[in-house]
Amino acid sequence: MVARTTIGTLIDQHLHAIDWSILIAYMLGMMAIGGFLVTRISGFKQYFLADGALTTPLLVCTLVSTYYELDVTFAVSEQGYYYGLVSWFWLSRPYYIAIIIGALLLAPRLKKFDCITLPDLLEQRYGKPTRIAGAAACFVYSLPITALAGMTIMFDMLGWKKGDALLISMGICAAYTAMGGLWADAISDTIQFVLMCVALAIAIPIALNWIGGFESFSVLPAEHMTATGGLRWGIILAWSVGALTVFVEPAFYQRIFAAKDSKSVIYAMLIGILLWAAYDWGVTIVGMIARVAVEKGLLTGDMEGKHALMAVCMQTLPIGLRGLFLGGVLAAAMSSTDTYSLLASGNLVYDIYRPLRKKPMSDKELILLTRIGIFAVLLFASWMSLMFHRITDAWVFMSGALASVVLVPALGAIFGKPPKLAGWSSACAGLVVYAAYHIVVAMYGEFDEEYESMVLRIGAFEAWREYAVLFALPVSAIGFGVGHVLGRKPT
Amino acid sequence: MMNFATWAAVLILGPGATAVFIWFLVDLKRILPKRKDTAGE
């Protein structure tokens, strides 16, 4: 008989010395990677792009683990808990389609540009103002807010002191990334990749056995077993549009520019889709298992969805495997935190500060400032992470901002030779509409208790906060068209 | 379908991810950057 458990109580007492040893060994291993690589970095391109030497297996590991920050590990299981299989079908699956298109169409073209970052590409086509606007949007998107929010949830549940635990994790993450740049990021990602995948592979059968197998899913609401989960199509569309960020995903661009050749990227992304799909499916199933456990009285009924994965795994895994699982969850957070703190720092130093400064910067200065920037970014992101109630809210806001400002200009730059005005007017139009929509909904809308989101109701029309990108993106496209007609054609 | 997809996911995440990791280890020595003091040798 399994005891009924309250979230966040006594979980730390369940950690055995073996579990702690695994966690400490993992943390020390990450530091050792940074220390090993710091003596091998000599220029900014080597620091930020690993000298363009990444091969297929390294790319698979770094792409998969980076994209799986805790917004997936917790938010997909959160959605699986509340809504069921729709989480996989409409929150995750659109990304695979976007990744296939990205791998086959974008990667080969991008490799032909001599760029280090996405804003480099925007400047080549549209000039400096569009570069700065794009870099600012990339910076907002790259802030590791969701990863840090996920870590906070984890520490909260374990009963650890949140501030201390977050400081130690962030400190280790910042230290090895600052030391080794993309090399340290990519190699640590591979360890994190195998840890998070294997931990989940072990947890699924044990958790299924705990609730009595798939037959127990019959206690779930019928909508949980459908592809749409009974959700409004507007919400499903807003989730799916998030997949468009793959085409402007800064980590994706960085890894394409860092790849040995375009074939390595294509193979890596195609292999990665299998792993992404398996991971998403596994996490969704664990979310549903948590809901079954609540229905059966194995877990407390007032449990929040974002706790689903942790609650199930901590309740079911034996000593040793619990440490492996916690290492895996921490790895999922750290693999994204290191990548995005490096990218956000690069946005500030390389993409914004460097072009605005009159005096040219040496590689040594760039590396030093980027290293300092990593620590600053992490502090700023941890403060920002307190402003969002749900991880999904943060993710929808950040991905919406990136898509609204950068998507249309970036695709225009990759597939054509538009006038400079097209990129600038598109980025500005997207930004203005996206910001205005959020401000109007926040000022005049109301909080909906059922969906835990802001909505502005005008008669029968409902403007949900999540719809911002659905308005901003078409306006950004119109802005691009207007700029195309009015702008001077490039020679 | 759910049963099959779940076991397929377990196989991909367990043995599949481990195979990719071994591939990475085999590849690592070849691609690692040299130390700064021996890079020119």
Side-chain angles (χ1 to χ4, degrees), chain A residues 36-37 39-41 46 55-58 60-61 183 187 190 193 197-198 200-201 204-205 214 217 225 271 274-275 278-279 281 285, chain B residues 1-18 20-21 23-24 27-28 30-37:
Chain A
F36 174 76
L37 287 161
T39 57
R40 295 165 187 250
I41 303 296
Q46 193 175 37
T55 52
T56 302
L58 196 50
V60 172
C61 299
W183 271 115
I187 292 175
T190 58
F193 159 83
C197 288
V198 170
L200 186 62
I204 293 169
F214 279 112
F217 278 47
M225 309 304 282
I271 295 169
L274 262 184
L275 289 150
Y279 197 86
W281 183 266
I285 292 293
Chain B
M1 191 286 258
M2 238 169 95
N3 208 335
F4 171 78
T6 305
W7 290 114
V10 168
L11 280 179
I12 291 168
L13 293 173
T18 309
V20 173
F21 184 66
W23 184 14
F24 151 76
D27 209 35
L28 184 62
R30 196 170 55 84
I31 60 168
L32 259 185
K34 301 248 182 314
R35 282 179 68 94
K36 273 184 276 188
D37 50 356

Side-chain angles (χ1 to χ4, degrees), chain A residues 11-41:
Chain A
I11 285 180
D12 54 338
Q13 292 178 352
H14 295 168
L15 284 182
H16 190 269
I18 298 171
D19 296 317
W20 282 111
S21 310
I22 292 171
L23 280 174
I24 292 166
Y26 162 71
M27 292 289 198
L28 291 176
M30 293 299 105
M31 288 298 286
I33 288 172
F36 174 76
L37 287 161
V38 73
T39 57
R40 295 165 187 250
I41 303 296

Side-chain angles (χ1 to χ4, degrees), chain A residues 33-224:
Chain A
I33 288 172
F36 174 76
L37 287 161
V38 73
T39 57
R40 295 165 187 250
I41 303 296
S42 51
F44 185 72
K45 199 174 174 190
Q46 193 175 37
Y47 181 74
F48 201 75
L49 285 188
D51 231 1
L54 300 190
T55 52
T56 302
L58 196 50
L59 284 165
V60 172
C61 299
T62 184
L63 280 167
V64 171
S65 63
T66 294
Y67 227 58
Y68 278 115
E69 48 184 292
L70 287 189
D71 73 290
V72 175
T73 319
F74 286 166
V76 173
S77 67
E78 179 184 45
Q79 304 303 338
Y81 176 83
Y82 286 123
Y83 310 117
L85 292 176
V86 63
S87 175
W88 189 86
F89 281 101
W90 289 105
L91 188 59
S92 307
R93 190 178 54 174
Y95 283 85
Y96 317 141
I97 298 163
I99 290 166
I100 290 174
I101 296 170
L104 299 177
L105 297 181
L106 281 188
R109 279 175 179 265
L110 278 175
K111 275 306 275 182
K112 289 179 187 161
F113 288 89
D114 182 23
C115 297
I116 288 182
T117 62
L118 172 57
D120 270 351
L121 174 72
L122 294 176
E123 184 175 359
Q124 277 187 22
R125 283 281 193 257
Y126 307 119
K128 209 178 275 182
T130 312
R131 173 199 186 93
I132 305 293
C138 288
F139 174 75
V140 169
Y141 177 85
S142 299
L143 283 170
I145 293 171
T146 51
L148 294 175
M151 273 197 215
T152 310
I153 292 171
M154 174 180 165
F155 299 144
D156 209 15
M157 288 199 62
L158 292 169
W160 295 353
K161 281 186 183 169
K162 268 189 286 188
D164 295 351
L166 200 61
L167 207 62
I168 292 170
S169 312
M170 272 181 6
I172 290 173
C173 213
Y176 74 75
T177 310
M179 282 192 281
L182 184 60
W183 271 115
D185 176 4
I187 292 175
S188 60
D189 280 354
T190 58
I191 317 284
Q192 290 154 352
F193 159 83
V194 75
L195 203 56
M196 59 195 255
C197 288
V198 170
L200 186 62
I202 293 170
I204 293 169
I206 295 175
L208 264 176
N209 186 49
W210 176 54
I211 56 158
F214 279 112
E215 293 75 25
S216 302
F217 278 47
S218 58
V219 301
L220 292 173
E223 290 85 12
H224 268 60

